Amino acid sequence: MLELIKRITNVETAEIHDNLTLPYELRMRGRLRTTTETSQDVGLFLDRGPVLRDGDLLQARTGEIIRVRAAEEPVVTARIEAGLPLARLCYHLGNRHVSLAIGEDKQGSWIRFPPDHVLEELAERLGAVLVRHTAPFDPEPGAYAQAGQASGHHGHGHAHAH
């Protein structure tokens, strides 16, 4: 079994040994046993921390580099006009502490989330057009996660009395 122990960056494509395709639920884990696209057994032995993102690179104890891919999974894509309607939809869905992917393509702005009839009803009430399908789900990491990674702290800006 290949032991994946380190998150790395800036690697030439030719150096990538294999791909590891995982749904969002499994990309949140630091410990996992699974297989790569070429059926190689791998184990994740990573520090607790950020969710693995589509395109992230992991290095094995023996040096091999494995690229993480977001798996296709059931999602709901809510399409809505950019600007205030998009901001309002993001606010109301985010206020329910659900993971959201936010994007834009040639068809316009969209928000993607796991299927949930309550969230779907809310999105429709706010004017979104919904499409239920399968697609890679790679949600926003969140401002606290980004700030915590950059500063080495846990993400909010006040002191704690210890």
Side-chain angles (χ1 to χ4, degrees), residues 22-33:
L22 298 170
Y24 179 65
E25 177 184 315
L26 295 181
R27 288 184 285 120
M28 291 189 277
R29 298 175 55 181
R31 300 282 187 269
L32 175 68
R33 186 173 181 163

Side-chain angles (χ1 to χ4, degrees), residues 5 8-10 13 20 29 33 39 41 57 60 63 69 106 110 118 134 139 148 150 152:
I5 60 168
I8 61 171
T9 58
N10 302 328
T13 304
L20 177 60
R29 298 175 55 181
R33 186 173 181 163
S39 300
D41 286 329
L57 300 169
R69 289 294 186 204
K106 59 187 172 195
W110 54 262
V118 173
T134 59

Side-chain angles (χ1 to χ4, degrees), residues 124-147:
E124 287 178 324
R125 278 200 326 258
L126 290 170
V129 175
L130 305 185
V131 178
R132 292 159 192 87
H133 60 113
T134 59
F137 184 57
D138 200 26
E140 294 289 316
Y144 290 131
Q146 292 169 342

